[in-house]
Amino acid sequence: MAVPTFVDRVKLHVAAGRGGNGVASVHREKFKPLGGPDGGNGGPGGSVILRVDPDVTTLIDYHHSPRRVAEHGGHGAGGHRNGGHGSDLVLPVPDGTVVSDSEGNLLADLVGAGTELVVANGGRGGLGNAALASAKRKAPGFALLGEPGDELDIVLELKVVADIGLVGFPSAGKSSLIAAISRARPKIADYPFTTLVPNLGVVRAGDTTFTVADVPGLIEGAAEGRGLGHDFLRHIERCAALVHVIDTATIEPGRNPVEDLDIIEGELSRYGGLEDRPRLVALNKIDVPDGRDIAGFVVDELRERGLRVFEVSAASGEGMRELTFAMAEIVARAHAEKPAQEAVRVVLRPKSVDGGEEFTVKETGEGWRVRGEKPERWIKQTDFSNEEAVGFLADRLNALGVEKRLIELGAQEGDAVLIGHPDNAVVFDFKPGIDAGAEMLGRRGEDERLREERPAATRRRDIQELMPERSETETRADVARKIDRGGPMSYEIGTADDPDWAEDDPGAGVPEDRG
């Protein structure tokens, strides 16, 4: 299997780093067993950045490694120690790279050395309990989780940034022309489709330096996908001018320079977007006797069309100086009219899922679906194994107005409430009236507002209520046992009230003589 050396289109999967988790920690030292919360925050994850690098000319690296992941953020620690920042992943791309999403929507056009695109943002780190402490919640027993980073598929498409584009039939001499006017050394042979990738050469004419690129394999029907030209026409979209390289010494029967020009112009017109570019015509191979004669027959007709025509020979160099200076003249004029290109930094911001509102609530067949940037971000930050963290989430949603909106729309207690994207939504049972207020008294990591009356708590309360009625000889354990057995607080041993009494016991029914 052949290994490609030039790749101008590739699909890339990028994933930014996840933010580190915050930590719930309490400061402890000698004689200060409870010194307050000191859990640090998690560090943000690294972002994925595309940066234009002038030294990169192909997307071959991403063809071999199409998945790129940035570094995750570090977790927080006790002692107010925050997690480290995940390193950004910088991906160098050639000048002229067009970035689009998997559906073909344009994201950015990267032109100019140093231009950057933050294509995937790293996740934010979670807050530790020190950052979550407040006057009402002095010692939180929870922390927030780090948010996942952006993850998406993108398509990178290279459009070579060249000043002059050479177009023409296969074997018209485009590669030879580039080799004659620049230091480029493309493969040259005497058979069609020798050139399989665009060639790029740097040309200097007087005080003007410019680049020249050719489109390989451009034939009739290229706009519909025939040949190779359709795949590479994108590389002349940015050119300031086009040069038609016409073979005047072709051995193919039925071809002549005027018809070749008309066919190529027809393909360019069908491709679209190149109508405003100045045209030059290079009648190549006049070093061949028949070629010079044919060029002389058509040069006047082409000039009558308003075209600047040059009779050249890439092999002998005849006419090349005049052609290169004509190219330089067009390029210099185009550069003077074009504003200076500055390196910019573009950051992708995902569109709001709620249409600009903080959240939306819609009734669906599965329940009440809540969408919004804040609710969905809070869901990702919540540790659902910690009831106090879930209570904090309920506080935030209530303060945002989610509960009020659900009640206004007719939600009933027990209805399913789904928060997030349908593919990974979190489902709750709606229970209105859960308000926050001061810090709840209870075990660390629990929130009594989210719990029904626990049997153990009911039992302790019942024991406490019966303690004043116990006898002097009864302990708290005796009271607990009597509650469990359902017996009276006092009884006479050997009677029916005695929990240890049985009818077949000796002396059953005869009170024990206490004398």
Side-chain angles (χ1 to χ4, degrees):
M1 180 176 173
V3 178
T5 58
F6 180 85
V7 175
D8 61 351
R9 192 178 190 276
V10 67
K11 187 174 183 179
L12 187 65
H13 181 85
V14 295
R18 183 185 184 91
N21 298 335
V23 68
S25 172
V26 177
H27 180 70
R28 287 179 173 85
E29 60 180 284
K30 191 174 182 179
F31 306 120
K32 290 184 180 181
L34 297 176
D38 67 348
N41 304 329
S47 299
V48 180
I49 302 172
L50 303 179
R51 179 182 297 163
V52 175
D53 186 343
D55 296 331
V56 178
T57 58
T58 177
L59 302 173
I60 185 68
D61 289 344
Y62 308 118
H63 172 76
H64 295 302
S65 301
R67 178 179 174 83
R68 301 301 176 99
V69 181
E71 185 179 11
H72 299 307
H75 299 312
H80 300 281
R81 288 174 292 176
N82 296 331
H85 291 219
S87 300
D88 292 336
L89 178 62
V90 179
L91 303 178
V93 295
D95 195 1
T97 300
V98 176
V99 187
S100 56
D101 60 21
S102 57
E103 298 178 355
N105 300 314
L106 178 65
L107 300 179
D109 189 354
L110 304 180
V111 178
T115 299
E116 292 183 352
L117 169 66
V118 182
V119 70
N121 290 281
R124 283 178 283 196
L127 298 179
N129 65 340
L132 294 171
S134 64
K136 294 183 178 181
R137 183 179 281 105
K138 297 182 184 300
F142 67 98
L144 299 184
L145 303 178
E147 297 179 33
D150 296 337
E151 187 170 354
L152 70 158
D153 292 323
I154 59 174
V155 176
L156 304 181
E157 187 176 28
L158 174 59
K159 296 183 179 180
V160 172
V161 181
D163 298 305
I164 300 293
L166 305 183
V167 294
F169 273 78
S171 297
K174 299 184 295 297
S175 298
S176 299
L177 195 149
I178 287 181
I181 63 177
S182 71
R183 292 179 178 268
R185 291 296 176 263
K187 181 180 179 181
I188 300 172
D190 59 354
Y191 54 86
F193 298 103
T194 306
T195 304
L196 300 179
V197 300
N199 294 311
L200 193 67
V202 179
V203 182
R204 182 175 182 85
D207 296 331
T208 304
T209 302
F210 57 95
T211 54
V212 178
D214 70 336
V215 177
L218 186 59
I219 61 175
E220 186 175 8
E224 286 74 36
R226 293 186 61 195
L228 303 176
H230 176 73
D231 294 330
F232 299 113
L233 276 172
R234 70 174 73 97
H235 294 299
I236 59 171
E237 289 183 8
R238 305 180 192 275
C239 295
L242 302 180
V243 176
H244 284 280
V245 181
I246 298 177
D247 186 357
T248 61
T250 180
I251 60 175
E252 296 182 31
R255 280 182 50 186
N256 67 75
V258 176
E259 290 183 357
D260 286 358
L261 176 64
D262 293 338
I263 290 173
I264 299 302
E265 279 292 347
E267 296 306 318
L268 297 177
S269 177
R270 277 189 285 274
Y271 184 79
L274 301 171
E275 295 80 6
D276 59 335
R277 313 302 161 83
R279 263 70 163 168
L280 300 177
V281 176
L283 298 175
N284 194 22
K285 301 184 181 180
I286 61 171
D287 57 298
V288 179
D290 290 344
R292 187 180 298 273
D293 294 338
I294 293 175
F297 292 150
V298 301
V299 64
D300 293 333
E301 181 180 350
L302 296 177
R303 285 173 177 167
E304 289 176 1
R305 297 186 181 187
L307 297 171
R308 296 182 65 182
V309 183
F310 299 85
E311 300 178 53
V312 302
S313 171
S316 66
E318 184 179 351
M320 300 303 296
R321 177 178 174 81
E322 292 79 2
L323 177 61
T324 54
F325 273 86
M327 295 178 186
E329 179 185 341
I330 296 176
V331 171
R333 185 166 58 248
H335 287 179
E337 297 174 354
K338 184 179 179 180
Q341 187 73 39
E342 297 181 0
V344 297
R345 182 182 176 90
V346 182
V347 181
L348 291 185
R349 302 293 185 188
K351 294 182 179 179
S352 175
V353 299
D354 46 31
E357 302 179 13
E358 288 190 309
F359 68 93
T360 59
V361 180
K362 294 182 179 179
E363 186 176 10
T364 66
E366 300 175 338
W368 299 91
R369 184 171 299 281
V370 179
R371 298 297 308 274
E373 181 183 353
K374 287 185 177 180
E376 294 182 28
R377 188 175 78 243
W378 294 343
I379 288 292
K380 296 174 183 177
Q381 294 174 337
T382 302
D383 178 8
F384 287 96
S385 65
N386 186 306
E387 294 181 5
E388 191 177 349
V390 178
F392 180 67
L393 171 64
D395 292 345
R396 301 173 91 178
L397 295 175
N398 191 20
L400 188 62
V402 174
E403 180 179 309
K404 181 180 178 182
R405 181 76 59 83
L406 286 167
I407 294 175
E408 291 175 351
L409 295 176
Q412 301 294 322
E413 183 172 350
D415 287 354
V417 178
L418 302 88
I419 302 181
H421 192 274
D423 294 338
N424 57 355
V426 178
V427 184
F428 299 91
D429 289 333
F430 183 47
K431 188 171 183 180
I434 300 180
D435 293 322
E439 181 180 6
M440 305 300 296
L441 298 178
R443 300 178 185 177
R444 181 167 298 280
E446 294 183 357
D447 193 308
E448 301 298 330
R449 297 167 296 157
L450 303 179
R451 302 174 65 88
E452 301 292 341
E453 191 69 25
R454 301 196 311 274
T458 304
R459 185 170 180 271
R460 286 198 299 271
R461 187 176 62 247
D462 293 343
I463 293 173
Q464 193 64 31
E465 290 177 354
L466 295 177
M467 285 293 290
E469 302 178 19
R470 66 187 173 91
S471 65
E472 295 181 358
T473 59
E474 289 180 319
T475 65
R476 183 182 180 89
D478 294 328
V479 175
R481 283 194 294 271
K482 290 173 183 178
I483 291 177
D484 294 340
R485 294 173 178 175
M489 283 297 298
S490 61
Y491 55 88
E492 187 175 355
I493 297 176
T495 66
D497 293 335
D498 185 348
D500 298 322
W501 176 86
E503 292 183 357
D504 56 350
D505 286 347
V510 180
E512 183 181 351
D513 185 4
R514 297 177 182 275

